[in-house]
Amino acid sequence: MAYALSSCVSSLQSSISLLSSSIAILDSGVSDFPRLVRVLQTTRHFELLPSDVITRAQTSLLASLTPELATLFARVESRVDRLERREQSLVAKYELQEGRLSASSRLTGRTIGVGDGDEDEEDGNTIGDGDEEGEGKGEETVEQGREQLRLKQMRQKKERLRYAVERLTLQVQQRERQLRKSVAAQ
């Protein structure tokens, strides 16, 4: 029996040595395994998605952005309308001021020309006539001066009223445009 057991022991020892050599071989083969796991691990940079998922995402994105875009467009349109109205009012104001300047320069030119001519004639008559007639003419000259002053004031008042009418007409036209725009927008 001792012989039978010795063969079992030798067979067990050869199996142990075979297992030890197998473990050593496996250990040398598996020692690089954690690095290989990282190297062979696939990283998805782009995921492939079904078209219905993409369609749903696009629809939800569109639904969330549409109201915001509409609000922004409305703001932009109102701002542009305000700027257009401001531009039109500035142009109208410019034209009105230009008209006032040209009218006042024409009025000033006429007043100076007429006043200078009248005074020259009056001065000529006053100097050339006698003392009694000169005093009578002097009173007439003062009276004419007052009349001219009153006429000048009346002309100025007429100009102011004309400018006021022009300004009101421009305002009416601008409000009509605004009303047309608001009706067209609705």
Side-chain angles (χ1 to χ4, degrees), residues 87-106 158-174:
E87 178 187 13
Q88 289 171 355
S89 70
L90 287 174
V91 166
K93 188 175 181 181
Y94 166 76
E95 290 172 353
L96 183 62
Q97 294 295 337
E98 188 178 36
R100 284 181 180 173
L101 285 175
S102 65
S104 68
S105 65
R106 278 186 271 133
K158 179 182 171 185
E159 287 296 315
R160 283 195 306 270
L161 291 172
R162 188 168 47 120
Y163 295 140
V165 168
E166 287 177 11
R167 190 183 76 238
L168 291 173
T169 304
L170 290 173
Q171 287 177 354
V172 166
Q173 290 172 352
Q174 185 177 2

Side-chain angles (χ1 to χ4, degrees), residues 15-165:
S15 292
I16 287 174
S17 68
L18 182 63
L19 279 174
S20 293
S21 69
S22 295
I23 286 173
I25 292 170
L26 280 173
D27 196 28
S28 67
V30 176
S31 67
D32 202 27
F33 189 68
R35 188 185 68 82
L36 286 176
V37 166
R38 278 193 315 235
V39 169
L40 296 176
Q41 185 179 16
T42 58
T43 304
R44 286 188 187 177
H45 295 287
F46 303 100
E47 290 189 33
L48 298 176
L49 298 173
S51 63
D52 61 333
V53 172
I54 293 172
T55 306
R56 280 190 303 227
Q58 287 175 340
T59 305
S60 69
L61 185 63
L62 182 66
S64 67
L65 290 179
T66 301
E68 292 178 28
L69 288 175
T71 304
L72 290 175
F73 282 134
R75 280 186 191 170
V76 167
E77 287 177 0
S78 68
R79 182 69 176 166
V80 166
D81 287 343
R82 268 191 272 149
L83 289 174
E84 285 176 352
R85 286 192 303 269
R86 177 146 172 80
E87 178 187 13
Q88 289 171 355
S89 70
L90 287 174
V91 166
K93 188 175 181 181
Y94 166 76
E95 290 172 353
L96 183 62
Q97 294 295 337
E98 188 178 36
R100 284 181 180 173
L101 285 175
S102 65
S104 68
S105 65
R106 278 186 271 133
L107 181 63
T108 306
R110 273 190 269 145
T111 305
I112 290 171
V114 170
D116 288 345
D118 289 345
E119 289 175 8
D120 288 345
E121 289 174 7
E122 290 170 6
D123 289 344
N125 289 338
T126 309
I127 294 171
D129 293 334
D131 287 340
E132 291 178 9
E133 291 177 8
E135 288 176 9
K137 292 283 185 171
E139 289 176 10
E140 276 185 32
T141 305
V142 171
E143 193 64 34
Q144 287 177 350
R146 287 182 190 156
E147 188 66 27
Q148 284 180 352
L149 180 63
R150 195 172 63 79
L151 286 172
K152 185 177 178 181
Q153 290 172 347
M154 297 280 277
R155 285 186 194 122
Q156 289 174 347
K157 185 175 182 180
K158 179 182 171 185
E159 287 296 315
R160 283 195 306 270
L161 291 172
R162 188 168 47 120
Y163 295 140
V165 168

